[in-house]
Amino acid sequence: NRRIVLASRPVGAPTTDNFRLEQTAMPTIAAGEILLRSVYLSLDPYMRGRMSDAKSYADPVAIGEVMVGGTVCQVEQSNHADFVQGEWVLSYSGWQDYAVSNGSGLIKLGMQPTHPSYALGVMGMPGFTAYMGLLDIGQPKPSDTIVVAAATGAVGSMVGQIGKIKGCRVIGVAGGEEKCRYAKDVLGFDDCIDHKADDFEAQLASVCDKGIDIYYENVGGKVFDAVLPLLNTGARIPLCGLISQYNATELPQGPDRLSMLMGTLLVKRIKMQGFIIFDDYADRYDEFATDMSQWLAEGKIHYREDLVQGLENAPQAFIGLLDGKNFGKLVIQTNQA
Ligand code: NDP
């Protein structure tokens, strides 16, 4: 049984030294318990927060403990009346091969799900985040202009596609030409701007010629700086994530622009609202699942996974996630089905 534990807390960007791969004895189960064997592990930006002991909405992972994470597992052995060997479940068993569960918190995925790993992406936490942030906080109206960064990622790709379904004009922001082309050609965004381009700000202003009604915030930093002057009166900003800051060790250099930000929010009556998906919207998952499964069945939603083989490659893949190396929802295949 392999497991990856947090070896030390990162200062700045994580390195592979912050993680340690360990071999442990196979866990055994008691009456009423299940042995889970992980097949897919989700890697998500929030894990950077769990590696840090700064105060947040959730407790940090302790040094020497298994890294947390959503997984799709098969039941390997069952001493539990509600679970049978071979069935698939969505779990939160973390960066390890095997885990013991008493069944609580597990979500059943059936004996032969068509796409088991979708429960970690389009049908799971990231898809749900995109849906609630955009629809509940963003309140899109047809012909609104939406801007979303990390546009080809797990959340951003869904924000943009749901925006198109709702009749909006969608502008993506992504790192590099290939991701931008994919956002336009496959995801159907109206345009997508490369944030690495020298004239990024000017390009964004030129495609947002009617201003921005919804800025779905995933990244912060220079993308937010470019968006701020383009926001329309009454604009909405679902504040979902700030990935460009997750590795930061200090505030950015330069003049303090807080008063400019607050002045813009005031005179343009802009609503900016943070949210944490399961804390704020857990009771609305069914609404999302109904809509998303229908859109998938109708071919209205494209979903791209960046599938990396092998639990041992999780640290490197996670480090890359914080630096735009992933292309689509990052998932580790920990074991074969
Ligand atoms: P993605 O699949 O989008 O992967 C992260 C992407 O972020 C990278 O591929 C990269 O895309 C982009 N990125 C990384 N560093 C920077 C940077 N410095 N500047 C600009 N872009 C950068 O991840 P997710 O879809 O899983 O998450 C997207 C955001 O949503 C994150 O901020 C995450 O924390 C947040 N989130 C919030 C939740 C909530 O409940 N509030 C729940 C789930 C996610 P590119 O190469 O295109 O720049």
Side-chain angles (χ1 to χ4, degrees):
N1 176 44
R2 301 167 305 164
R3 57 183 215 164
I4 294 179
V5 301
L6 181 64
S8 56
R9 301 206 185 278
V11 178
T15 67
T16 49
D17 289 343
N18 298 131
F19 303 93
R20 188 172 60 243
L21 179 66
E22 296 179 346
Q23 292 282 351
T24 59
M26 248 333 244
T28 51
I29 53 171
E33 290 184 335
I34 314 158
L35 181 64
L36 297 175
R37 178 172 170 276
S38 156
V39 179
Y40 298 105
L41 163 67
S42 181
L43 293 184
D44 300 275
Y46 74 83
M47 293 167 175
R48 177 64 184 82
R50 301 291 192 280
M51 296 179 77
S52 157
D53 57 7
K55 196 166 164 44
S56 186
Y57 61 91
D59 290 337
V61 174
I63 300 293
E65 286 300 311
V66 177
M67 283 291 298
V68 291
T71 53
V72 165
C73 298
Q74 280 191 287
V75 174
E76 178 91 356
Q77 285 171 24
S78 177
N79 287 339
H80 192 299
D82 297 340
F83 294 89
V84 295
Q85 194 197 346
E87 84 173 288
W88 292 80
V89 293
L90 175 65
S91 166
Y92 198 69
S93 58
W95 299 28
Q96 58 186 341
D97 286 328
Y98 292 93
V100 174
S101 164
N102 63 8
S104 82
L106 298 183
I107 294 175
K108 285 174 168 273
L109 300 174
M111 289 305 289
Q112 282 184 314
T114 321
H115 300 291
S117 62
Y118 279 25
L120 302 172
V122 59
M123 288 303 300
M125 188 277 281
F128 186 29
T129 301
Y131 180 93
M132 291 313 320
L134 179 64
L135 299 184
D136 193 58
I137 302 175
Q139 297 282 329
K141 297 186 295 300
S143 80
D144 274 353
T145 297
I146 301 176
V147 171
V148 60
T152 62
V155 174
S157 62
M158 296 304 144
V159 169
Q161 292 182 93
I162 298 170
K164 288 310 298 175
I165 291 170
K166 298 293 174 187
C168 303
R169 181 153 185 271
V170 174
I171 310 294
V173 172
E177 215 177 287
E178 197 192 354
K179 288 184 177 179
C180 288
R181 202 173 326 115
Y182 172 81
K184 288 184 280 189
D185 295 351
V186 180
L187 301 178
F189 289 20
D190 296 282
D191 223 319
C192 188
I193 310 295
D194 179 0
H195 65 77
K196 294 177 180 164
D198 292 337
D199 60 344
F200 162 66
E201 257 182 69
Q203 282 194 49
L204 187 70
S206 130
V207 296
C208 297
D209 52 341
K210 294 198 187 92
I212 297 170
D213 302 295
I214 300 175
Y215 174 53
Y216 190 102
E217 177 63 294
N218 278 331
V219 303
K222 75 173 188 189
V223 179
F224 184 79
D225 292 344
V227 161
L228 185 60
L230 305 175
L231 291 167
N232 289 332
T233 297
R236 285 83 67 202
I237 307 178
L239 177 44
C240 173
L242 294 167
I243 196 166
S244 77
Q245 300 174 19
Y246 293 172
N247 287 330
T249 52
E250 54 183 24
L251 291 171
Q253 299 297 308
D256 182 352
R257 284 163 304 172
L258 186 61
S259 60
M260 183 178 76
L261 168 64
M262 290 176 73
T264 306
L265 298 186
L266 172 61
V267 299
K268 290 188 173 164
R269 287 89 96 195
I270 291 166
K271 178 174 100 171
M272 187 171 193
Q273 187 184 321
F275 68 105
I276 301 296
I277 188 63
F278 287 116
D279 294 24
D280 296 329
Y281 292 109
D283 58 332
R284 292 180 66 179
Y285 178 80
D286 289 349
E287 197 182 314
F288 153 74
T290 305
D291 278 346
M292 189 54 91
S293 16
Q294 186 181 337
W295 292 332
L296 272 172
E298 291 170 353
K300 288 183 177 160
I301 293 278
H302 292 269
Y303 178 55
R304 179 181 179 125
E305 249 174 21
D306 187 339
L307 192 66
V308 174
Q309 295 296 328
L311 178 66
E312 67 282 7
N313 294 316
Q316 199 58 57
F318 176 68
I319 292 164
L321 177 72
L322 299 168
D323 193 29
K325 298 280 193 302
N326 64 307
F327 191 172
K329 169 69 190 109
L330 185 58
V331 174
I332 302 289
Q333 178 143 30
T334 43
N335 290 287
Q336 296 304 313

